[in-house]
Amino acid sequence: MNRLYSIARLSVMALTGTAVFAVSPASAEIAKQDDNGFFITHEVDVTTSPDESYEMLRAPAKWWSAQHSWTGDAQNFYMDAQATGCFCELIPASKEGGPRGSVEHMRIVYAEPGKRLRLTGGLGPLQAEAVQGSLTISLKPNANGTTIRFEYVVGGYMRFPVEQIAPAVDTVIGEQVSRLGEVLGVAEEPLIGDDDADFKTPIVEEPAGPPESAEDEGED
């Protein structure tokens, strides 16, 4: 089986910059990284509508790279885009006539056509680790088509350094976002003054301190 998801290959790609993409996302970032996990974001503006973009998301065989598969063939990818559905890959039967196999890349937990698709699971080598991963793909209409944002949050125990795997996974996610943009058509004109409030990650506010006494507030 072609296991191009190996940690060694991912690390080399991320640290040496050998991966070359046809399309660059509008933005990409390792938003947070610590000993417990990491948070990655990628974004691209495409010329298709949110509904058209969502339909393409549901067909990973058309845009997810075969280099990041277990079989080396993107045509083996499929997705059942509904809650409890699967982003999976078929493992063809052996030439000797043995049974087919399959791999679950991620599981769908939220599917809202034209707006949002959320999947859980550890991609690639993370599948073998005691981690939880959540990939949220949001779609927002804009003047040129649709802004598509990928957010992948990973946390838990893993047997390799976060500072190595986070950039590697960031590279892989970025490639898929680029390929998706290439298939849908990247918007050439930059967006001006577009409100991206819908994509803001919620921030947990620090709890307020104890109320000041009347004396501290200068009351009589």
Side-chain angles (χ1 to χ4, degrees):
M1 187 181 300
N2 187 3
R3 295 191 57 172
L4 293 177
Y5 255 138
S6 69
I7 179 61
R9 182 179 184 278
L10 288 173
S11 297
V12 169
M13 288 173 60
L15 300 178
T16 66
T18 55
V20 178
F21 309 139
V23 180
S24 296
S27 64
E29 177 185 15
I30 299 179
K32 187 175 182 180
Q33 174 183 313
D34 57 32
D35 292 340
N36 297 317
F38 54 90
F39 169 38
I40 291 168
T41 67
H42 282 266
E43 190 174 290
V44 66
D45 296 317
V46 297
T47 57
T48 49
S49 70
D51 288 338
E52 292 170 319
S53 302
Y54 186 86
E55 286 303 305
M56 183 59 68
L57 283 174
R58 296 176 63 243
K62 296 181 179 179
W63 58 275
W64 196 276
S65 173
Q67 288 189 321
H68 301 294
S69 69
W70 297 94
T71 62
D73 186 352
Q75 293 306 307
N76 291 322
F77 289 128
Y78 65 93
M79 182 184 292
D80 179 17
Q82 60 180 336
T84 75
C86 181
F87 166 27
C88 289
E89 180 180 353
L90 290 175
I91 299 176
S94 66
K95 294 180 179 179
E96 291 74 24
R100 292 191 309 177
S102 62
V103 181
E104 178 181 289
H105 288 265
M106 306 193 87
R107 182 169 295 274
I108 290 84
V109 296
Y110 186 105
E112 186 175 6
K115 293 184 178 180
R116 185 168 290 108
L117 185 65
R118 180 173 294 124
L119 310 91
T120 60
L123 289 168
L126 295 176
Q127 186 187 83
E129 305 304 310
V131 300
Q132 175 68 20
S134 178
L135 174 63
T136 299
I137 306 173
S138 303
L139 301 95
K140 181 186 176 186
N142 59 51
N144 298 319
T146 304
T147 299
I148 304 175
R149 184 177 179 87
F150 280 56
E151 297 181 334
Y152 191 37
V153 185
V154 175
Y157 178 78
M158 60 190 81
R159 293 170 292 181
F160 30 75
V162 173
E163 62 270 19
Q164 291 183 15
I165 193 63
V169 174
D170 178 62
T171 299
V172 172
I173 294 292
E175 178 183 1
Q176 311 322 308
V177 176
S178 295
R179 291 172 61 89
L180 178 63
E182 183 178 21
V183 171
L184 292 173
V186 174
E188 297 181 359
E189 295 296 326
L191 298 177
I192 300 175
D194 186 55
D195 182 9
D196 66 347
D198 291 348
F199 291 146
K200 297 296 184 183
T201 301
I203 298 176
V204 179
E205 300 290 346
E206 293 293 331
E212 296 179 349
S213 65
E215 181 179 351
D216 292 338
E217 294 176 358
E219 296 183 3
D220 293 332

